Amino acid sequence: MKKLLLASAAIALGATGAYADDVKMGVLLGFTGPLESLAPPMAQGAEMAIKEVSDSGKLLGGDTVTAVRGDSTCVDAAAATAAGETLVTTDKVAGIMGAMCSGATTAVLQNVAMPNGVVMISPSATSPALSTLEDDGLFFRTAPSDARQGEVMADEILEKGIKNVAVTYTNNDYGKGLADSFEKAYKAKGGTVTISAAHEDGKGDYSAEVASLASAGGDALVIVGYIDQGGSGILRGALDTGAFEKFVFPDGMVSQTLEDNFGSEINGSFGQLPDSAGDGMKTYLGMAEKAGFDGSSAYSGGAYDAAALMLLAMQAADSTDPKVYKDKVMEVANGPGEKIYPGELGKALDLIKEGKPVDYEGATAVNLIGNGEAAGTFREITIKDDKIETVKYR
């Protein structure tokens, strides 16, 4: 009788989730480094999805989910690898939301994720090289490749009647990849690139780089850089010397820091970043505001989506083993099935448990193509009255 009572108690405890597992999920971003101002809203986006799923009590019969942060630094491959290794071997994460920058993402994917069979979904690594990199089916991204951003930027500049530009880019995978894709698209459409020159991050003086750019000339300067590092240094030098009056800012330069530090000095300049409009983003922005952070910050919505995709894939696979649930990521992302938006993750978990398909739209209208990357849309911005304003979506 005693054994029977103990067994019954164990069943009851299991049914209430007392024996549920705590699933760890890595949030690996550049909390320090050249994009440190973008990392907090991205982390908060991912952690909002994680909390939503955990609080629902519906993941795999009641599993909780805990976020574990790691600092990729964005630009130090060794540091990113070490942070990823800690998440996997010490914290035992079931997946990594990240990394943030393309070089750090490549390092973690090759040195940590692939050897250990861990899924990574990056909200912001955009290098075209990642599209063809061997990944064992473990890597996905909710941000579109810079091959697409280069085309969008070329169209945007030419539509404004600007036929020749100078280009400076941060000397890494992200910078060179975007600069090359832009130059190819811009030239094919009739534009002229007067110079395309790399700059190093972390310097105190960019006068030599600005002088070279000024000497080459151009009706605008495209700064493919990081707002918290060399990109700001180049911009400040160009403004102080009067080398250029109009600037084009890709995603790595678009943040509150740009507005705060340069404001009226860059009125009339413009740029773009991966983002989307629609009900999903509108809902996400409201959720973020309620949670006390800026959901409109670059890649924040994509971070929510990256975390959500992994958790829904676990439910679809009935497993937290990344080697198993990796095969369900594309399925939950693309449907066909009932569309799922931010705030509906509990509903999605119920549908999946019932054997019903879902089509995860999320904040960024998720649609994964090819080798698990986003088709993506872009938000065109302009600096007007000292503020970053949205012009339209492309």
Side-chain angles (χ1 to χ4, degrees), residues 7-263:
S8 298
I11 292 171
L13 286 169
T16 61
Y19 291 149
D21 292 327
D22 183 37
V23 181
K24 301 289 196 304
M25 178 168 289
V27 176
L28 183 61
L29 299 169
F31 293 104
T32 61
L35 285 179
E36 60 186 24
S37 64
L38 296 184
M42 292 169 66
Q44 289 165 304
E47 289 162 0
M48 189 162 67
I50 290 168
K51 185 177 188 301
E52 186 180 336
V53 166
S54 190
D55 288 353
S56 77
K58 296 176 179 179
L59 177 66
L60 299 175
D63 285 0
T64 56
V65 192
T66 301
V68 184
R69 290 188 178 190
D71 183 8
S72 70
T73 76
C74 230
V75 291
D76 186 334
T81 297
E85 193 72 43
T86 297
L87 289 174
V88 170
T89 60
T90 302
D91 299 309
K92 308 295 184 185
V93 299
I96 295 175
M97 196 298 300
M100 190 169 173
C101 295
S102 297
T105 298
T106 301
V108 176
L109 174 61
Q110 294 181 323
N111 299 324
V112 180
M114 288 174 63
N116 292 282
V118 175
V119 168
M120 292 177 63
I121 304 186
S122 173
S124 55
T126 55
S127 170
L130 284 163
S131 298
T132 56
L133 196 67
E134 177 59 44
D135 62 10
D136 293 344
L138 294 165
F139 178 68
F140 306 85
R141 50 182 170 175
T142 56
S145 163
D146 279 332
R148 170 74 177 134
Q149 184 171 188
E151 293 178 1
V152 168
M153 185 158 59
D155 288 340
E156 189 180 327
I157 293 171
L158 288 168
E159 286 170 14
K160 289 175 170 53
I162 300 172
K163 298 294 180 68
N164 59 86
V165 298
V167 178
T168 179
Y169 62 89
T170 183
N171 193 18
N172 61 18
D173 292 348
Y174 159 70
K176 182 164 176 47
L178 179 50
D180 287 350
S181 66
F182 163 70
E183 183 171 3
K184 180 180 178 182
Y186 190 59
K187 285 182 174 180
K189 297 172 187 290
T192 298
V193 174
T194 61
I195 184 175
S196 184
H199 65 260
E200 302 295 335
D201 287 313
K203 295 180 64 175
D205 181 14
Y206 288 92
S207 57
E209 289 85 348
V210 170
S212 294
L213 295 165
S215 178
D219 294 331
L221 173 61
V222 178
I223 304 179
V224 185
Y226 295 138
I227 186 59
D228 296 316
Q229 266 291 351
S232 279
I234 293 282
L235 179 56
R236 173 50 61 203
L239 287 168
D240 289 349
T241 60
F244 295 89
E245 295 181 353
K246 193 174 290 292
F247 303 90
V248 184
F249 303 119
D251 54 331
M253 291 293 293
V254 184
S255 84
Q256 187 63 41
T257 302
L258 180 68
E259 188 178 288
D260 292 344
N261 291 355
F262 298 97

